[in-house]
Amino acid sequence: MSCESASVGVLLHPTGNGRRLLLVSERTGHRALLDATVLDALCALPPSALTALVRAAVQEGAPA
């Protein structure tokens, strides 16, 4: 999955506790495994909260 500012691989990843969504940043190589509980919580957030999460993550990764 990609857009003008990011490219991320999205895969289903089997674990001992069921499948997880594996996200891999093609730019940085960072990885995240998300389970259904996390995905459900993200779905419940309003767009403003999701924007704040993304903004915080981008600022955290910015050089000081």
Side-chain angles (χ1 to χ4, degrees):
M1 168 177 267
S2 61
C3 67
E4 59 278 353
S5 61
S7 183
V8 176
V10 180
L11 306 157
L12 281 178
H13 182 76
T15 70
N17 293 324
R19 293 184 297 173
R20 305 288 189 260
L21 195 61
L22 173 62
L23 307 176
V24 181
S25 168
E26 294 179 8
R27 182 177 56 84
T28 65
H30 291 150
R31 297 171 167 253
L33 276 175
L34 305 179
D35 67 12
T37 303
V38 172
L39 294 171
D40 190 54
L42 288 172
C43 289
L45 291 175
S48 60
L50 291 170
T51 299
L53 280 172
V54 172
R55 189 171 287 136
V58 169
Q59 289 172 350
E60 182 179 297

